Amino acid sequence: MRHTVTVNRKRDKQQNVDPSDAMRVAASWGRRFGLYDESGDRGEPQARTKGKKLRPVCGDLVTAAPLDGESDWLIDAVLPRDNELARPDMRGRREVLAANVEMLIVVACVEPLVDWYIVDRYLAAAEQMHCEAAIVWNKSDLSPSSDELDVFASIGYPIIHTDTKSGIGIDELADIMRGKRSIFVGQSGVGKSSLINAIASDDVQRTGNISNASGEGKHTTVAATLLHLGDGIEVIDSPGVRDYAPSLKDITDAASGFVEIRETAHDCRFADCLHRAEPDCAVKAAVENGDISERRYQSYLRLVQLTRQLNQGKH
């Protein structure tokens, strides 16, 4: 039996749409989009939206049809999303970067120097999205590991060490991605596109070098792009960042993004404990006795403060 979803189309008239008849947004460039159907047979037609209110993002399912006498297709509806990878813009407003993600993979390495607070925030986003998450320690030839990786492993996040030059870890990475719609996220220059090329055994994504002037990565992926790598693997390659924060409605949502804090908070005296100055806080006690990483706790406090500032900026 086919399942249908209901979308609002033509002045809020309800219409049922079979998801198998919808198309997937593979990329967006302003008001233009690349699409493919779930079988991949349509070869990514170019499309535009009907009206200015529709704002599809990479990973969205949409309904679209070819335009008479044109090569373009017209998107007329966006189907309900399972989840959204989002961030606040400069005014604190929610900006959606990708949708319908089943696994979020944070790529990090020693060069450019890893910012563990960005890793924390991406993992917090995955928790908010209710999707799987993993960490890839790339360029492992430069540094075989880090003590911080042990902290993440103890929480339960899979850690995969990779090196695209030698091929170390590439098969293991492909295995956890198979059958899921994944997204690669992380700082600029950590090698997300190189990992995609290694998995595909082909140069499907353009890559770049580290900036000699700043030591930071250069942007080689300029827009989120959904790629089919074969063997049941599809991945969204997202542009590298120099900072990231999840878009949270309230500071109380910050704790749910940190697994160990969320689980320990059940033992706090107060149900609305923010784990800062409240008495009988189980989270602070766990930090003091070493059961929760001090750095992860400080990362949580930073996210609380940042969320407060951004939400105040909305008004």
Side-chain angles (χ1 to χ4, degrees):
M1 179 180 178
R2 282 187 165 186
H3 297 280
T4 60
V5 296
T6 301
V7 296
N8 290 327
R9 300 174 66 182
K10 297 182 179 180
R11 298 181 182 177
D12 295 328
K13 182 179 180 180
Q14 298 291 311
Q15 180 167 339
N16 290 329
V17 177
D18 189 328
S20 65
D21 294 330
M23 304 188 75
R24 185 78 61 181
V25 176
S28 64
W29 311 277
R31 303 303 299 170
R32 295 187 62 77
F33 305 87
L35 306 178
Y36 70 87
D37 69 7
E38 292 300 85
S39 67
D41 290 338
R42 293 181 183 171
E44 292 193 22
Q46 300 294 302
R48 60 179 186 263
T49 55
K50 182 179 181 180
K52 296 182 179 180
K53 292 185 178 181
L54 288 179
R55 298 183 181 274
V57 298
C58 188
D60 265 330
L61 275 175
V62 299
T63 56
L67 290 165
D68 292 339
E70 297 187 36
S71 60
D72 272 5
W73 288 51
L74 185 67
I75 299 171
D76 63 359
V78 178
L79 274 63
R81 295 164 174 163
D82 293 331
N83 57 30
E84 299 173 340
L85 176 63
R87 67 183 177 192
D89 65 13
M90 295 300 293
R91 296 183 180 180
R93 298 172 300 188
R94 184 178 178 86
E95 178 186 4
V96 181
L97 307 175
N100 302 315
V101 174
E102 295 168 306
M103 171 169 275
L104 184 146
I105 299 174
V106 189
V107 183
C109 61
V110 71
E111 183 184 330
L113 183 64
V114 59
D115 185 333
W116 293 113
Y117 294 102
I118 291 178
V119 176
D120 290 333
R121 292 173 184 179
Y122 272 123
L123 294 176
E127 297 297 329
Q128 293 285 328
M129 295 164 66
H130 303 290
C131 73
E132 295 182 52
I135 298 173
V136 167
W137 185 247
N138 197 27
K139 307 179 185 180
S140 58
D141 59 318
L142 300 179
S143 177
S145 192
S146 164
D147 290 342
E148 288 292 340
L149 294 176
D150 295 334
V151 173
F152 291 112
S154 69
I155 300 169
Y157 291 110
I159 311 294
I160 300 175
H161 296 77
T162 58
D163 175 21
T164 56
K165 296 177 182 178
S166 66
I168 290 174
I170 301 302
D171 289 342
E172 183 182 357
L173 176 57
D175 285 342
I176 70 164
M177 295 172 63
R178 192 168 290 108
K180 306 181 185 75
R181 185 174 307 105
S182 303
I183 185 168
F184 280 176
V185 296
Q187 295 167 249
S188 301
V190 294
K192 297 186 295 295
S193 296
S194 295
L195 286 169
I196 288 173
N197 291 339
I199 293 170
S201 300
D202 192 12
D203 291 336
V204 294
Q205 285 292 77
R206 188 166 60 91
T207 60
N209 297 317
I210 304 298
S211 167
N212 291 329
S214 67
E216 295 179 329
K218 297 178 180 179
H219 296 281
T220 55
T221 302
V222 297
T225 306
L226 179 59
L227 302 164
H228 284 268
L229 305 185
D231 198 20
I233 299 174
E234 55 179 325
V235 60
I236 298 174
D237 187 15
S238 68
V241 301
R242 290 178 181 167
D243 199 5
Y244 171 78
S247 179
L248 304 178
K249 291 182 179 180
D250 190 81
I251 58 174
T252 57
D253 294 330
S256 64
F258 291 75
V259 178
E260 67 277 43
I261 292 177
R262 182 179 70 218
E263 294 178 351
T264 306
H266 294 299
D267 296 325
C268 289
R269 177 180 177 183
F270 300 108
D272 59 351
C273 184
L274 287 175
H275 322 303
R276 295 186 297 181
E278 297 87 349
D280 299 325
C281 174
V283 170
K284 289 190 297 180
V287 173
E288 291 173 2
N289 63 30
D291 289 338
I292 290 179
S293 157
E294 172 70 29
R295 191 205 60 77
R296 284 269 293 175
Y297 174 66
Q298 292 300 322
S299 184
Y300 157 75
L301 294 179
R302 287 190 184 192
L303 183 56
V304 168
Q305 183 61 25
L306 178 61
T307 301
R308 185 191 299 276
Q309 293 171 349
L310 290 170
N311 288 349
Q312 288 174 344
K314 294 178 183 178
H315 307 295

